[in-house]
Amino acid sequence: MDFQNLVDSYDMAAAVLSVEKTEDGHWGEIRIVRANEQYKKIMGPNYRDDMLYSDLIPKEPNFEDFCFRCAVNKQHLHSYVVTKSMGLWTDATYIPLSKSYDTEKLSYFIFYFEFTKAPEAERLSNISFETAPFVVQTCLNLRGAKNFYEAMNTVICDIRDKTESFCSCIIMIEKERKKYAPLCAKFSDPKITIDNFMPYLTPDVVFSWEDTLKDTDCIIVKDDFDMERLSKKNPVWVNSLRSAGVKSLILSPLMQGPKMSGVLFITNFNVEQIIQLKDYIELTAFFLSAEIANNDLMERLEYMSNIDTLTGVKNRNSMNSRVDWHVKNNFPVHTPFGVIFADLNGLKQCNDSGGHEAGDRLLKHAADLLKEHFTEYEVYRSGGDEFVVIMPNCSKDDFEKEVEKLRKDTGYNSDICFAIGADWSNDGKDLRQCMHVADEAMYADKKEFYRQHPDKARR
């Protein structure tokens, strides 16, 4: 057959590839036999007929598996995945050529593709009828749950059921902070939890995944052959997998732009479904990435709206919400409770003598002191140099001891000097009234402080 005429008949980039069949039933060399002009233009001046594909782009195990399935097993295949070596999405079709063209050692197929710079919805949705219902169900579960964590747990259960796996889990990774943790997990054995396997997920293993994934859209291990190939790239991880009894796995990255924020990790799954599962997992990972990114954004916005960025304690907006919840009985402060108002003495003088950076440091130290004193209670910066502490479930004796200790540690000539007002309630007195009494007492204490120590006056 004239392979050149065949590929020249295609309007998009196309090539005929050969796959070497090894005696153990796997693949050996994969070569680009002939290609049309569009293909050659994309691949650049280094292209030549009958070259190893890996002389043009990095070896990619999932691509090689598809090549083998198409050329040798005569399966018609399609994929739409990110080609990391090019930074593009590849919409590729694999068509087997007749066995009459095969030789004892070589089998052939046609490969044609288009690139997109970013994932396109229409191409992503081009999946099999068997896979589509599961993807739709995943999307519905993501959007229909009451909260983010309920959605994640529901979807991970769906994934375990669909893949018939021993374990399906999501592990979040913060490479910069050297932290990682499971977000959710589901096992086929209800007696087993992710805690049983965390000893195998050491930092050396988890932080090696990003490098192992750098040239592939996901890692798939179906058998000992794949495991041995992975071992050559990441022996530490494979030793861990074997110790944990893992025979097959899928590891799909969860991305936030160019950054990997976590992975979808599936072990000991039904390898007979691998073609359908690959489409399902890649699409599910895409939607999970979007949902996690959206939740991270919402959590950051909530944090920014409720945390004082200078001191790290809760801000006035958070305090007002807390009071509203109490008044409406949505989230009442449990009695008996106490309220402390603490106003920082000498901030104006500190700003005047050392500048606003010195004043900011003083405010941070003041907040740190309050957090250290009231680790089990609610600390707010209500504005400027004023802080508020709300102490639920606190007896009068304990409350008075805490107030006295704070006065002792923050008196005149202390590094942190507070004017303090306090009030305690045992009968459900309105929180706002309690705060008003404490506020008035604090201003009286501050007035007396400046009367006794005019050198600290704010004028």
Side-chain angles (χ1 to χ4, degrees), residues 103-300:
T103 67
E104 183 179 345
K105 290 189 175 181
L106 297 178
S107 296
Y108 297 88
F109 72 99
I110 297 172
F111 173 73
Y112 62 89
F113 66 89
E114 291 181 310
F115 285 139
T116 63
K117 292 184 178 180
E120 296 179 356
E122 184 176 348
R123 296 177 191 265
L124 281 172
S125 62
N126 186 17
I127 56 177
S128 69
F129 289 112
E130 294 84 359
T131 301
F134 294 99
V135 175
V136 171
Q137 186 62 49
T138 295
C139 294
L140 290 174
N141 286 336
L142 284 173
R143 305 315 305 164
K146 294 179 181 178
N147 59 63
F148 171 76
Y149 296 99
E150 179 184 306
M152 292 298 108
N153 279 297
T154 299
V155 169
I156 209 67
C157 290
D158 290 346
I159 292 171
R160 202 222 64 79
D161 291 343
K162 170 61 178 172
T163 59
E164 300 176 28
S165 57
F166 170 73
C167 167
S168 295
C169 67
I170 294 173
I171 298 173
M172 303 307 299
I173 302 171
E174 292 187 66
K175 184 178 179 181
E176 297 81 4
R177 299 173 61 190
K178 295 295 181 183
K179 290 186 176 182
Y180 61 94
L183 175 63
C184 54
K186 181 65 176 179
F187 290 81
S188 58
D189 185 343
K191 297 178 182 178
I192 295 176
T193 71
I194 191 63
D195 292 338
N196 298 115
F197 288 89
M198 289 308 292
Y200 300 102
L201 297 176
T202 63
D204 286 348
V205 168
V206 173
F207 295 117
S208 73
W209 289 339
E210 187 169 17
D211 186 62
T212 307
L213 282 159
K214 68 180 181 181
D215 294 324
T216 185
D217 57 310
C218 69
I219 294 169
I220 298 175
V221 172
K222 306 178 298 300
D223 49 32
D224 290 339
F225 175 77
D226 291 343
M227 190 71 82
E228 191 58 37
R229 287 169 65 93
L230 180 61
S231 180
K232 294 175 181 178
K233 181 179 286 189
N234 194 331
V236 173
W237 183 25
V238 170
N239 287 338
S240 172
L241 291 170
R242 286 171 171 160
S243 297
V246 174
K247 305 294 185 182
S248 62
L249 71 94
I250 301 173
L251 186 82
S252 187
L254 302 175
M255 306 299 295
Q256 291 187 17
K259 177 185 174 183
M260 189 178 83
S261 61
V263 295
L264 174 59
F265 195 2
I266 300 165
T267 64
N268 295 354
F269 65 96
N270 183 354
V271 297
E272 299 300 321
Q273 298 187 65
I274 186 58
I275 297 302
Q276 295 88 346
L277 289 181
K278 187 174 187 296
D279 278 348
Y280 168 67
I281 293 301
E282 286 170 349
L283 268 175
T284 300
F286 180 81
F287 292 124
L288 284 172
S289 296
E291 192 69 17
I292 291 169
N294 181 63
N295 182 70
D296 286 350
L297 174 61
M298 295 304 296
E299 286 187 348
R300 285 197 297 272

Side-chain angles (χ1 to χ4, degrees), residues 363-427:
L363 284 165
K364 290 178 185 178
H365 292 155
D368 289 342
L369 184 146
L370 289 172
K371 286 188 288 185
E372 183 179 341
H373 267 261
F374 303 103
T375 54
E376 299 179 4
Y377 299 112
E378 304 167 20
V379 181
Y380 302 86
R381 182 186 176 197
S382 58
D385 51 7
E386 190 172 283
F387 296 86
V388 175
V389 181
I390 299 176
M391 302 172 63
N393 287 327
C394 185
S395 68
K396 186 174 184 179
D397 285 345
D398 288 342
F399 179 70
E400 290 177 348
K401 288 177 183 177
E402 291 291 345
V403 173
E404 186 57 33
K405 186 174 186 300
L406 182 64
R407 290 188 189 279
K408 181 178 178 180
D409 291 346
T410 62
Y412 181 64
N413 277 341
S414 299
D415 291 337
I416 304 297
C417 180
F418 279 127
I420 296 170
D423 191 37
W424 180 83
S425 172
N426 188 39
D427 57 3

